[in-house]
Amino acid sequence: MANAIKKSGDGLALQITRSARAATLVDEDDDNTATRLARTRIHAFNGLLVAVDVGRVPDGYEAELVATAAADTNTAYRAVTAHVQIAGNGYQLQLPNAVDAGLHEGDTPRITTAPGVLLIAHNETDTETNSVRVGKDLATRRREQHTEASR
């Protein structure tokens, strides 16, 4: 079952333990103790948040993802910085710009991962821009970027 966006502190957050590991937003030692928690830049679009690990995704690749998301959604809202945090038995990410993207407390967004990136999409079923599809497309592009950089 997907995690729901919850109130945390003065804003909203999402539990991202499995997704953070899959996207390499955290490094852990053999005892599953965090040795690195990513600093992310979270970009907001209609129905979509794109969280980018600023330490692992080069600026040019991030700019390409942001430009693609803006073109595909015909929107661009504010970007904010947030660190992955330890919460309970896992990790969470504060989402200060969730409301800009149309995400609210109780929503259970679809999370797609790619190296250094989380794509948090509203699970809407009937909108002009399908943010889940856009998120999947961006994840595919990020995987291609990662492969190009590895060569």
Side-chain angles (χ1 to χ4, degrees):
M1 182 174 157
N3 291 322
I5 293 175
K6 63 183 179 180
K7 286 255 186 226
S8 177
D10 290 335
L12 299 175
L14 184 62
Q15 195 74 21
I16 59 162
T17 304
R18 288 186 183 126
S19 301
R21 288 175 177 141
T24 64
L25 297 182
V26 297
D27 291 336
E28 297 173 318
D29 62 19
D30 292 338
D31 296 323
N32 290 333
T33 301
T35 59
R36 184 187 84 90
L37 300 172
R39 178 175 170 258
T40 67
R41 195 166 16 252
I42 305 170
H43 303 272
F45 306 93
N46 187 33
L48 181 67
L49 295 171
V50 179
V52 178
D53 183 340
V54 299
R56 294 206 168 144
V57 178
D59 291 344
Y61 288 158
E62 178 181 359
E64 180 184 346
L65 295 172
V66 168
T68 300
D72 286 356
T73 64
N74 292 314
T75 61
Y77 303 107
R78 67 185 169 129
V80 297
T81 302
H83 284 84
V84 173
Q85 302 170 329
I86 295 173
N89 292 323
Y91 306 106
Q92 77 173 11
L93 186 62
Q94 293 293 129
L95 303 174
N97 54 353
V99 175
D100 296 341
L103 295 160
H104 303 280
E105 181 181 9
D107 287 348
T108 54
R110 172 86 51 90
I111 300 176
T112 305
T113 63
V117 177
L118 287 183
L119 301 129
I120 303 166
H122 197 287
N123 266 323
E124 80 281 25
T125 56
D126 228 2
T127 64
E128 186 175 313
T129 302
N130 184 326
S131 58
V132 172
R133 180 199 50 80
V134 173
K136 287 180 181 180
D137 291 349
L138 291 171
T140 298
R141 181 60 194 132
R142 175 61 194 133
R143 287 185 201 100
E144 291 168 352
Q145 291 173 338
H146 187 71
T147 300
E148 291 169 8
S150 298
R151 292 182 192 166

